[in-house]
Every structure is written in C-alpha cells, then in structure tokens.
C-alpha cells in the first residue's frame, strides 16, 4: 500500500532546498515545477537527500516535479488521479497545520495492476475527470471515501501511484510543498499516455 518514513529529511536540508525553490517560485496558488527546471533546482541536493533517507532514489528516467500549493490553489490540488508510473516517492518540504492543511488523501488499490492499455485508459477516464472531482470535493463524500495520511515537513511516503487514487485536502492558510519522484512508467510509448501527460500539464498550469 504505502510506506512512510517520519522526519527522514533533516530540518537544515529542508531549509536550504526551500530557499532555493523560493528564489524561482512565485509562491502563489498551485505551482508545478517540471523537468528540466526541477532537475536544475535539485541537482545539488540529490546526494544529501539520498544519504539522509536511503529509500529516496532518483532513478534514470524518473519524472521529478516540485509541487507548491497555497489556499489559492485548492481547486487543482483536489484533482483526484492515478499516476502514469508505478512508483511515487513523496518528499514533504513544507507543511502547514490545521484541519485543512493539504494532507494527502488516498484510496489504495482502487484499480488493479494491468497489462491492458484499454483497461488502463478506461479506468483513467472514469476516475480522472471533472465530474469525479466535483463529487469528491464534497466533504461528506470525500471523508468517507479516502484515507487521510498526515505528513509533515521532512516526512517521506512511497506508494504505488498507478493503483492508488489520490489527491489532497484543501489548504486554509500557509503552504504545502513537496518533491514528487515518479518512476517505472506505464505504457510509456503509447499515444494515450503521452496525451494524458499533455492534458495534465494544460490543466495544472491553468489552475
């Protein structure tokens, strides 16, 4: 399902990484920094991160993004989805407190592992769309359907993003920032996977 390492990254390491990101980030709303910019920002910190937590790995071909969310980006952070990769490593760089603090919400094994591109596409379309997002943004439904995983700055979570349906709680104040390391791509060379990537970028940059 998922594995959590509490306080795996030291406070000083978090401070210098956040300082570097702050120098290139607008700090507003919902911001995704994709490769190659994310790789440039993190290149001097990868060795430190992997030495402090041996389960943090930057594999060849990994898709690494830096994600920052404030209260102005709540709509995009609640775009529930499956990842296009089997393995997701979540490194929390900055967290906030309160009931609505942007914690990750998960529904493990909502879909099965599959070697079928057709089933992969069908389940992706069924669960990842504006209608599903609208339904699961209703608090009563959301709280019954998902499991909340409390994570603070320095925590690391590893899970199968391809079978775990996930998103985040809204944020009332402050910022939540994470590094997301995606690896083991599904149907990497298929047209539909490339289309999903393109649509994700369009949606996230609009929100």
């Amino acid at each position: 399902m998922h594995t959590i390492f509490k306080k795996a990254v030291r406070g000083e390491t978090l401070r210098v990484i956040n300082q570097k990101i702050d120098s290139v980030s607008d700090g507003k709303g919902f911001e995704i920094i994709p490769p190659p910019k994310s790789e440039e920002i993190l290149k001097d910190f990868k060795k430190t991160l992997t030495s402090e937590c041996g389960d943090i790995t930057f594999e060849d071909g990994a898709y690494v993004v830096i994600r920052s969310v404030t209260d102005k980006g709540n709509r995009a952070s609640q775009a529930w989805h499956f990842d296009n990769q089997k393995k997701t490593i979540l490194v929390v760089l900055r967290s906030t407190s309160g009931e609505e603090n942007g914690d990750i919400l998960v529904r493990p094994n909502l879909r099965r592992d599959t070697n079928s591109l057709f089933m992969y596409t069908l389940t992706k379309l069924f669960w990842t769309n504006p209608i599903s997002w609208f339904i699961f943004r209703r608090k009563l439904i959301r709280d019954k359907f998902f499991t909340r995983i409390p994570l603070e700055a320095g925590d690391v979570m590893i899970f199968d993003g391809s079978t775990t349906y996930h998103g985040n709680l809204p944020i009332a104040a402050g910022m939540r920032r994470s590094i997301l390391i995606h690896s083991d791509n599904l149907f990497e060379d298929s047209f539909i996977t490339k289309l999903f990537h393109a649509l994700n970028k369009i949606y996230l940059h609009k929100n």
Side-chain angles (χ1 to χ4, degrees), residues 40-206:
E40 178 64 25
I41 292 170
L42 296 173
K43 66 179 183 180
D44 295 330
F45 305 113
K46 287 183 177 181
K47 186 175 181 180
T48 301
L49 287 169
T50 56
S51 67
E52 292 183 6
C53 179
D55 289 275
I56 297 175
T57 57
F58 293 88
E59 299 174 16
D60 290 342
Y63 186 74
V64 181
V65 301
I66 301 167
R67 176 183 181 274
S68 303
V69 187
T70 70
D71 60 304
K72 294 181 175 62
N74 282 331
R75 184 174 178 82
S77 68
Q78 295 178 87
W80 319 101
H81 63 282
F82 296 104
D83 295 332
N84 295 319
Q85 298 85 8
K86 283 281 295 173
K87 183 179 180 181
T88 298
I89 302 174
L90 168 64
V91 183
V92 183
L93 298 178
R94 183 175 290 176
S95 58
T96 185
S97 59
E99 178 62 25
E100 294 191 337
N101 66 354
D103 274 341
I104 187 170
L105 304 179
V106 300
R107 178 76 179 220
N109 301 316
L110 186 60
R111 71 174 180 181
R112 298 179 180 179
D113 287 322
T114 180
N115 293 319
S116 166
L117 179 59
F118 173 76
M119 290 304 299
Y120 162 80
T121 304
L122 183 64
T123 52
K124 187 90 167 177
L125 292 174
F126 182 84
W127 290 104
T128 308
N129 61 74
I131 296 174
S132 296
W133 298 337
F134 175 81
I135 292 170
F136 291 119
R137 284 171 183 154
R138 307 310 102 188
K139 186 178 186 304
L140 182 63
I141 299 173
R142 181 193 71 203
D143 291 351
K144 288 181 179 295
F145 189 81
F146 291 101
T147 299
R148 179 175 183 167
I149 309 294
L151 296 174
E152 299 178 340
D155 294 349
V156 176
M157 175 176 169
I158 301 176
F159 64 102
D160 184 342
S162 69
T163 61
T164 300
Y165 193 53
H166 58 283
N168 293 82
L169 281 173
I171 291 177
M175 174 187 286
R176 179 170 286 263
R177 175 180 286 157
S178 304
I179 301 169
L180 292 160
I181 308 166
H182 301 291
S183 57
D184 195 0
N185 295 323
L186 298 174
F187 305 103
E188 184 173 11
D189 297 322
S190 72
F191 168 78
I192 195 68
T193 298
K194 293 176 181 178
L195 178 61
F196 283 146
H197 275 303
L199 292 175
N200 285 341
K201 288 180 181 179
I202 292 170
Y203 178 80
L204 293 175
H205 285 296
K206 284 175 63 179

